[in-house]
Amino acid sequence: MFDYSDKVKEYFFKPRNAGVLEDANAVGEAGSLARGDALKLMLRINPLSEMIEEARFLSHGGGSMIACSSALTELVRGKSVDEASRLTSADIAEFLDGLPPEKMHCSESGEKALAAAIAAFRGETPVAPERRPAEPALVQIAVPPKPRRAPPPAAAAMAARQNGAAPGMTLRELIAKNNPLAAVEEEETGPVEPVSQDDASVISKIITEMRPIFQRDKGDIELLEIKGRQVFVRLSGTCASCLMASQTLAGVQKRIMETIGRPFRLIPSTARA
C-alpha cells in the first residue's frame, strides 16, 4: 500500500549480492523471523587493510527489507571498516531515493546488522548504533496510498531472467539457485517415511502463525500435504508471482527445521507440476 521509488523497486526485483558468502569473516544479524523481517549480513574483510572486499546477504521479509539489504551490500563494498561503521539507516534510505516512514525500520535493521558484523570482526560486543536525526526530505515520501498490483507478465519474465532463471526453470529450481537456505538434501530412494502426528501438527501451526506475513503483502500460503520430509504448500495472491518468494519460503522452512530439529523441504505447489 506504499508508493516506492524506482530504485527501491529495482533493488527488490533485481537484488544485488543475495546469497551465502562462504568465506565471510564478519557476520551480523538483525530483526527476527517472528516479527516478520530478518537480515543476515556477511562480509569478507581483508585483515591487513581492513577493507571490505565482498558483501552478501540473506533476508526474510517484504520488498523494502530486500531492497535495503541489497543496497547495504552495495554501499559497504570497497569501503574500509571505519568508513562503513559511519553508515546509517538514513544513508541506506538516501541511496534508495527515499523510503516511506513506515518502512524505515528496514534500513535500521541494515544499520544494526552492519554494526554487529563489524563488532564480530573486531572481537567486540555489538552495541546499538547511535541514533542520528534523519533528514525528512531524503527519507520520507508522503503520497496517497495506491493498491498493490502484481507485476505484468512481461515484467515478471524480465525480472526472472535478471535473477538467473533459465528458460523452463521451475520455481523450485529457482529457489534452490538463489537461496541456499532453501536447499535440503534429497531423500534416499525408498519407501517414503511417514511423518509423525506431532511433526505434522508443528508444521501446520508454524505455517498458520506465519500466514499474516504473507497476507500483509496481499498474498497467502496454505499447507497442502506432507510426504516424508517434503512439505507441499500453495502460494496465492501476490506471493504466487513474487520473484523473491524463495527468500520468504526459506524463512518458513528454516523455522520448521529449527523447531523440529530435522531437515524438511518446503515445496510450492507450482513446483509439483
Side-chain angles (χ1 to χ4, degrees), residues 18-238:
V20 173
L21 182 59
E22 297 291 349
D23 57 348
N25 58 356
V27 178
E29 299 185 12
S32 68
L33 290 176
R35 192 185 68 182
D37 290 310
L39 165 62
K40 182 175 184 178
L41 176 67
M42 294 153 282
L43 307 176
R44 184 177 71 237
I45 303 174
N46 187 309
L48 298 178
S49 64
E50 293 199 349
M51 297 296 293
I52 300 175
E53 298 176 341
E54 186 60 275
R56 298 185 71 83
F57 77 93
L58 292 173
S59 69
H60 169 79
S64 297
M65 191 66 184
I66 294 167
C68 288
S69 303
S70 179
L72 175 60
T73 60
E74 291 288 277
L75 283 167
V76 300
R77 292 173 74 186
K79 283 186 169 59
S80 68
V81 172
D82 285 340
E83 289 175 321
S85 66
R86 292 191 288 270
L87 287 172
T88 68
S89 60
D91 295 323
I92 299 173
E94 179 182 359
F95 180 85
L96 292 170
D97 295 334
L99 285 171
E102 297 86 349
K103 294 298 181 179
M104 279 300 295
H105 67 276
C106 297
S107 61
E108 290 168 359
S109 290
E111 183 180 349
K112 292 175 182 177
L114 176 59
I118 291 175
F121 173 74
R122 291 173 169 170
E124 302 171 347
T125 301
V127 295
E130 180 182 355
R131 306 302 326 150
R132 303 183 195 176
E135 298 181 17
L138 295 177
V139 300
Q140 294 187 7
I141 303 176
V143 295
K146 293 182 178 180
R148 180 176 299 213
R149 297 179 181 176
M158 180 180 296
R161 289 193 297 271
Q162 292 170 341
N163 278 278
M169 180 178 287
T170 66
L171 179 57
R172 176 180 177 181
E173 293 167 337
L174 183 59
I175 290 173
K177 176 181 175 64
N178 286 320
N179 194 340
L181 277 179
V184 179
E185 292 295 328
E186 293 284 352
E187 295 183 74
E188 297 182 359
T189 303
V192 176
E193 176 187 353
V195 64
S196 71
Q197 185 62 43
D198 288 343
D199 286 350
S201 297
V202 169
I203 293 171
S204 177
K205 181 180 179 182
I206 290 174
I207 291 177
T208 299
E209 290 177 348
M210 299 191 74
R211 285 185 71 188
I213 299 172
F214 291 78
Q215 293 168 345
R216 182 184 60 193
D217 289 331
K218 305 301 180 183
D220 205 352
I221 183 172
E222 175 188 0
L223 176 62
L224 295 177
E225 64 174 321
I226 306 171
K227 296 179 64 176
R229 296 184 180 179
Q230 295 180 327
V231 180
F232 295 96
V233 297
R234 176 185 292 117
L235 298 179
S236 58
T238 56

Side-chain angles (χ1 to χ4, degrees), residues 1-6 8-9 97-100 141-146:
M1 300 302 291
F2 301 101
D3 190 19
Y4 296 108
S5 70
D6 290 339
V8 170
K9 296 174 185 176
D97 295 334
L99 285 171
I141 303 176
V143 295
K146 293 182 178 180

